[in-house]
Amino acid sequence: MENIEVKQTSKYVWEIPKTGEMLVPGCIYGDADIIKHLTDDIKAGKEWNALRQIVNVACLPGIQKASMAMSDVHPGYGFPIGGVGAFDMKTGVISVAGVGYDINCGVRTLKTDLTRNEVEKKKNELAEALFNGVPAGLGSTGDIRLPIEKIDEVLVQGAEFSVNLGYGFKEDLEYTEENGHVKGATPETVSREAKQRQFKQVGTLGSGNHYLEVQYVEQIFDEKAAEAFGLRKDQILISIHCGSRALGHQIGTDYLKTLEAASKKYKIPIRDKELVCAPIESDEGHRYFGAVNCGINAAFANRQAIAHLTRRAVKQAMGVSEESVKMLYDIGHNTAKLERHVADDGKEKQLLVMRKGATRAFGPGHDEVPKAYRKIGQPVLIGGTMGTCSYILHGTEQGMLETFGSSCHGAGRNMSREQAKREYRGEGIVNDLAKRGIVIKGHSLAGVAEEAPGAYKDVTEVVDVMHNSGIAKKVALLKPMICIKG
Amino acid sequence: MAFEYLDHEADVGIRAIADTLEGAFEDGAKAMFNTMVDIAAVHPHEKTVVGVSADSPDSLFVEFLNKLLSKADEKGYVFSQFRVRISKKGKSYNLSAEAWGEPLDVKKHKAKTEVKAATYSGLKCWSDSGKHHVQCVLDV
């Protein structure tokens, strides 16, 4: 039986000591429950387990400090979900598994002037307007149809493209990570096949764990931060969780082959085939990163378009202006980013940070944080499970030092989709949630069962680990009222 | 149908078992589309031809699945029947396949979840007691 030692180093931090081919230790943020779940998977001989994935990532060339996992850690492919790895630009590598197939999958949260009571009275009308107004589900297509030449502009301009097309306002960009577009997007590195898959899908939510949720602020933990973020008790927020759709998926698929060949060419030792990679500073690495940046921008453009469709639906159902639905923030959690951090040699330098199911959580004073929030730190949007709750946190200086400014991204599953389908029925979940006053509108009942609240870790436990360890601090707790499932 | 789903927390593991490698690939493709829709409800109405190559049978399996996803997406189709041919030339494994299906109808086909990609994670292709097995994890 495989044995991976896990040592507790402080109340919420656990270490996998550096052994064998590991270049750095593993570092997991969790409580005893979260860690037990991981070690039980090893004992049970589970084919996919997150501890082994953390160890495998720790063996990748150029990795700095530690192969990290946030408190929502669970098995992914190659990297664990909740995984963070920062790589030296000269000696490091870039991998499809560190970004994921849904490039820049993320959360955008909108804030309204509406209150819980106002929405409660028109809950069904608003649910209907959102369900009809935002394309979602398997095979859904958007109402933005672009000629293929125009796709290149989406890939370079990101959210700004959607704004220029009339989907949103200029101010939205200020409250989007990287102002809604990253530099270094190279459309020529994205295949025609990927672009062809994209042009029907701008402004669509997708399916699986993607959702649009109407929430109210149930609790404020930090008055000062809440004031800076423009949040108050009983206020209605709307969160959108989705990514780069098929374009991102195809970029991942295309570059898996490229990086497989590159791993052989550059003789990079690979412990898991999904972890194939290329040196950051190689032709293959440059091309993949250029394509990833295109995927990142496509996701920003997508969430921007969906936000505007959401505004239209809110206007239609609630009779308020589109302008009154403002941006709180938009942030990705499947990304590769060039960021400045302190490296293992003690110097601050540019590193490539891959976050696979982990959210950037920059602390106060950072240039990347919108001016209005800069004294507090960047908003960290943590999507819970349908029917439970979500959290808004802010980044901290401690997070900058310990986790390269990274936090968890959600609750994290603790049950497989197959098991969830065996244990839950979609209809049953919809009825249970209805009894608690939550309206679920889903395109697939099987999909609803797979995403059953019981199939996830308790988001509060996951968030409390981040809060108590000081990596990101709680600002507000959100409770769902309406959930539109893809 | 000789395919099964493996317990994977975040995603979906698929495994197909058949008398031939080609048959295992065909059942693997069914397993993938059955993650997206109820394939029993998909009429194999129209043929789409795909071809891929790779330097090993396991990579070929992932290539095949990803090509099917891309074709299905591009055409707005879902597939339920497959006929696969595999040949080896030098170091390269070449696959040509017919995929039979029809335009996606969310209600009729009982749409489930979208598959983003077939991954190399857990990817294996092996034979045991005369049976061919293939497996991988789908990112959903």
Side-chain angles (χ1 to χ4, degrees), chain A residues 37 41 46-48 53 74-78 81 100-102 137-139 193 196-197 200-201 206-210 245-246 249-250 253 256-257 260 264 272-274 276 413-419 421-422 443-444 446-447 450, chain B residues 5-15 35-37 53 55-56 58-59 62-63 66-67 69-76 78 104 106 110-124 135-140:
Chain A
H37 192 79
D41 277 359
K46 287 251 177 100
E47 185 147 14
W48 291 282
Q53 291 177 337
H74 60 283
Y77 40 85
I81 313 291
Y101 291 86
D102 197 355
L138 183 69
E193 200 171 357
Q196 252 161 355
R197 289 181 71 179
K200 292 181 289 191
Q201 294 190 341
S207 72
N209 63 353
H210 294 158
R245 311 285 287 109
H249 313 167
Q250 188 66 40
T253 299
L256 198 60
K257 281 176 275 181
E260 187 186 10
K264 286 179 190 153
D272 171 349
K273 199 169 179 185
E274 185 62 30
V276 290
R413 297 187 72 92
N414 65 7
M415 185 186 287
S416 74
R417 289 170 191 277
E418 281 307 298
Q419 195 184 341
K421 276 191 287 190
R422 287 192 294 270
H443 289 264
S444 154
E450 286 181 24
Chain B
Y5 294 104
L6 313 172
D7 273 353
H8 182 285
E9 274 178 23
D11 295 304
V12 174
I14 56 168
R15 181 183 292 156
T35 305
M36 299 159 71
V37 293
S53 55
D55 61 6
S56 66
D58 50 1
S59 295
V62 165
E63 289 288 312
N66 281 323
K67 182 59 80 180
L69 281 180
S70 167
K71 276 282 171 208
D73 208 21
E74 188 193 316
K75 297 178 71 166
V78 273
L104 170 69
V106 171
K110 301 185 188 110
K112 298 178 200 167
T113 196
E114 186 173 59
V115 174
K116 292 171 187 166
T119 77
Y120 281 167
S121 184
L123 175 61
K124 273 188 222 162
Q135 69 168 49
C136 75
V137 171
L138 306 175
D139 182 7
V140 299

Side-chain angles (χ1 to χ4, degrees), chain A residues 164-317:
Chain A
N164 290 340
L165 218 60
Y167 289 80
F169 309 116
K170 282 271 181 225
E171 308 82 81
D172 295 348
L173 303 176
E174 197 184 332
Y175 294 96
T176 306
E177 182 184 18
E178 316 253 13
N179 295 317
H181 81 274
V182 287
K183 295 189 188 84
T186 49
E188 65 277 14
T189 60
V190 176
S191 69
R192 191 170 171 82
E193 200 171 357
K195 292 174 190 173
Q196 252 161 355
R197 289 181 71 179
Q198 170 70 8
F199 83 106
K200 292 181 289 191
Q201 294 190 341
V202 179
T204 63
L205 198 63
S207 72
N209 63 353
H210 294 158
Y211 61 77
L212 183 151
E213 201 166 81
V214 177
Q215 306 148 327
Y216 67 92
V217 177
E218 189 183 71
Q219 193 182 348
I220 299 279
F221 302 98
D222 179 338
E223 288 292 345
K224 197 174 140 207
E227 195 188 336
F229 290 175
L231 301 176
R232 58 190 179 275
K233 199 168 181 304
D234 284 335
Q235 180 185 13
I236 293 294
L237 306 185
I238 303 172
S239 293
I240 297 157
H241 176 223
C242 69
S244 50
R245 311 285 287 109
L247 176 106
H249 313 167
Q250 188 66 40
I251 290 171
T253 299
D254 289 340
Y255 278 92
L256 198 60
K257 281 176 275 181
T258 309
L259 299 193
E260 187 186 10
S263 298
K264 286 179 190 153
K265 180 175 160 189
Y266 299 103
K267 298 189 173 62
I268 302 168
I270 299 299
R271 291 166 58 99
D272 171 349
K273 199 169 179 185
E274 185 62 30
L275 276 179
V276 290
C277 50
I280 299 167
E281 293 295 349
S282 64
D283 176 51
E284 295 86 346
H286 287 160
R287 280 191 289 132
Y288 175 54
F289 188 48
V292 164
N293 286 329
C294 290
I296 289 175
N297 289 337
F300 283 139
N302 194 31
R303 286 197 289 274
Q304 179 65 47
I306 291 173
H308 210 65
L309 298 174
T310 302
R311 284 176 165 136
R312 283 185 197 162
V314 173
K315 181 182 174 186
Q316 185 197 326

Side-chain angles (χ1 to χ4, degrees), chain A residues 54-97:
Chain A
I54 295 166
V55 168
N56 290 343
V57 172
C59 301
L60 292 176
I63 186 161
Q64 300 292 297
K65 195 168 173 174
S67 164
M68 292 182 195
M70 302 297 117
S71 47
D72 51 352
V73 56
H74 60 283
Y77 40 85
F79 270 58
I81 313 291
V84 177
F87 292 82
D88 181 84
M89 296 298 290
K90 286 201 184 102
T91 58
V93 292
I94 184 166
S95 166
V96 171

